Amino acid sequence: MVEEKRKELSVRAERAILLGTLPSKGSANGDSLEELGRLAETAGAKVVENVLQRRDKIDPTYYIGRGKAEELAALCRDRDIDVVICDDDLTPAQVRNLEHLLNAKVVDRSELILYIFATRASTTQAQTQVELAQLEYTLPRLKRMWVHLDRIEGGIGTRGPGEKQLEVDRRLVSKKIFELKKRLKGIEDRRHHQVAARSNCLKVSLVGYTNAGKSTLMNSLTQAGVIVEDKLFSTLDTKTCTLHLENGRRVLLSDTVGFIKKLPHHLISSFHATLEEVKQADLLLHVVDVSSPAALEQIKAVDEVLKELHCELKPTLLVLNKIDALTEEATLTLFKSMYQEAVAISSLTGEGLSELKKRMQEFFDRRCVELRLTCGTEDGRLTAYLYQNGYVLSKRLHGHKISFHLLMEERYIPKISQLARDVEMSYAQDCHSEQSEEPLKQRPLDPSLRSG
């Protein structure tokens, strides 16, 4: 009976028990299964009961020990349970032993997350990435999943007489994994070229725990129309839109897949192409649901994933989201004392968004040097380049010459001499020595940005 239930990796509208372990000493309680419950409900299961076992060491045979597993078996019979969902990753042996004892399907945390990703993947790229992650997860667990795999078959088309069906299927799965990795390598290369083609643009990526409000923030800042749901992993594909800051500077803002605690390694490696935007970003906005009781743990989980992506040293601005949902003001005060550079916002009501844009603007301004440049009025290509890649503070016309006072990142400066023959350029020494004949609606220059 159990073996028939293992023919597919799914958690349909089944009656489920959530199973987890806690250290024998400590203040942790049943709230540790709250997130697992949300994952189970997102997958479509009906959570009937939570079971926690306090133990300092995971039992290698039954995960929670033989005695507790027998108690769980009786509970499964009494409550007509279809599936037991564990909050940790299990070995194939642990799953096999538990299923025989419980007479119910056993699903671990990674398998549940992979199933949710599979049901939500809508694009070819996302579906390919999820399929690869599922197969890499499944390969070492083939023996417990299908009854027919221990048959011995021979004949034309096999490696030789006596080859087990299990070995045949392992070979087929390995071949499929190789093909998917090759396909994803092509996708990753194309995505890398797409991102590289935008190297002249300023890039910002939203990162954060799943359901932290990244998509809502994306819509509030850019009117991108990203689908927003109060569910885990509602966004699997990266969407990039243009954001205009208050000084007119153009920024490319990308919404990315949410992270989660104990995120399966296979999933991270498979989603490298999707996360290319994170790796190439100039600035990361780490969005945190400050109203969540587990906010500090979620910040830590996101930091761990960023480290795995080798992005832990990227410039990051912490964004404390959902302040409208806070019931105690002291919570926000605590976070601001811990993260003094953080920005508090509500992506739903719009509170704090202007401050967030200002902080982004200040970040990019600090990367700029201040220039004074004079060129001919006929140098239209150079003028367009300055406006596209710099921040023009003022300009002055005198005869057939035009003088600019601007901020620009150093990486754009070398190309200036290629666009015009007769150009005079120097680093600014005094921002206020001249008055602009054409006043621009810009904020005053921050004295800390002066290069002279």
Side-chain angles (χ1 to χ4, degrees), residues 385-444:
Y385 181 80
L386 296 178
Y387 275 100
Q388 182 178 1
N389 299 294
Y391 171 23
V392 178
L393 298 168
S394 64
K395 68 178 181 179
R396 170 182 287 186
L397 288 168
H398 40 91
H400 296 289
K401 296 286 186 177
I402 181 170
S403 296
F404 289 95
H405 176 201
L406 73 157
L407 297 174
M408 179 173 279
E409 292 188 55
E410 290 199 49
R411 57 177 172 163
Y412 299 128
I413 295 176
K415 192 173 181 179
I416 290 177
S417 58
Q418 301 174 16
L419 295 174
R421 295 181 182 178
D422 186 19
V423 59
E424 299 174 8
M425 181 173 59
S426 64
Y427 290 99
Q429 299 296 321
D430 186 359
C431 315
H432 309 291
S433 60
E434 298 180 17
Q435 296 295 325
S436 171
E437 291 184 352
E438 182 184 332
L440 302 179
K441 294 182 179 178
Q442 312 282 11
R443 66 179 180 83

Side-chain angles (χ1 to χ4, degrees), residues 10 67 158 164 169 183-184 197 207 210 355 363 367 388 402:
S10 68
T158 63
K164 289 186 178 181
D169 282 17
R183 191 185 308 170
L184 276 180
V207 298
T210 181
E355 176 65 19
F363 167 79
R367 296 176 35 159
Q388 182 178 1
I402 181 170

Side-chain angles (χ1 to χ4, degrees), residues 277-307:
E277 302 284 352
V278 175
K279 293 184 283 185
Q280 298 296 328
D282 298 300
L283 174 66
L284 301 180
L285 297 185
H286 182 171
V287 184
V288 180
D289 177 3
V290 74
S291 67
S292 170
L296 290 174
E297 295 177 19
Q298 293 174 3
I299 291 175
K300 183 179 178 181
V302 172
D303 288 341
E304 289 174 355
V305 177
L306 290 176
K307 186 174 182 180

Side-chain angles (χ1 to χ4, degrees), residues 104-292:
K105 183 167 62 176
V106 176
V107 174
D108 65 19
R109 185 183 179 92
S110 286
E111 185 176 337
L112 180 63
I113 292 174
L114 288 171
Y115 172 71
I116 294 172
F117 269 64
T119 58
R120 292 190 171 276
S122 57
T123 66
T124 301
Q125 177 179 333
Q127 290 168 352
T128 303
Q129 292 172 138
V130 172
E131 184 180 1
L132 174 60
Q134 283 186 315
L135 288 176
E136 289 183 325
Y137 173 87
T138 300
L139 184 59
R141 295 166 170 79
L142 281 175
K143 191 171 183 179
R144 70 175 174 85
M145 290 182 58
W146 292 286
V147 181
H148 72 280
L149 294 186
D150 59 355
R151 293 204 308 266
I152 296 179
E153 295 186 0
I156 299 173
T158 63
R159 273 190 313 188
E163 181 182 39
K164 289 186 178 181
Q165 183 64 34
L166 174 63
E167 295 169 355
V168 175
D169 282 17
R170 277 179 177 163
R171 185 155 39 85
L172 292 174
V173 171
S174 297
K175 182 180 178 181
K176 183 66 173 177
I177 288 175
F178 175 79
E179 292 172 352
L180 289 174
K181 283 186 174 180
K182 186 177 180 181
R183 191 185 308 170
L184 276 180
K185 181 64 170 59
I187 293 174
E188 192 167 348
D189 289 342
R190 288 195 298 273
R191 178 59 67 89
H192 182 76
H193 291 316
Q194 289 173 358
V195 176
R198 301 196 292 262
S199 60
N200 289 340
C201 300
L202 301 173
K203 298 178 288 294
V204 178
S205 284
L206 299 174
V207 298
Y209 211 75
T210 181
N211 210 40
K214 297 183 299 298
S215 296
T216 304
L217 178 57
M218 178 81 166
N219 288 339
S220 298
L221 290 174
T222 66
Q223 288 73 51
V226 178
I227 296 176
V228 176
E229 296 180 279
D230 187 19
K231 292 183 179 179
L232 304 183
F233 302 116
S234 59
T235 300
L236 291 188
D237 296 293
T238 300
K239 185 177 180 63
T240 302
C241 290
T242 300
L243 167 65
H244 293 281
L245 301 181
E246 293 178 1
N247 61 2
R249 189 191 297 272
R250 188 170 68 97
V251 172
L252 293 181
L253 184 66
S254 298
D255 185 20
T256 60
V257 60
F259 302 149
I260 197 169
K261 286 187 298 183
K262 306 176 188 176
L263 191 64
H265 176 76
H266 298 316
L267 207 54
I268 297 175
S269 59
S270 298
F271 271 71
H272 263 220
T274 296
L275 295 171
E276 183 68 26
E277 302 284 352
V278 175
K279 293 184 283 185
Q280 298 296 328
D282 298 300
L283 174 66
L284 301 180
L285 297 185
H286 182 171
V287 184
V288 180
D289 177 3
V290 74
S291 67
S292 170

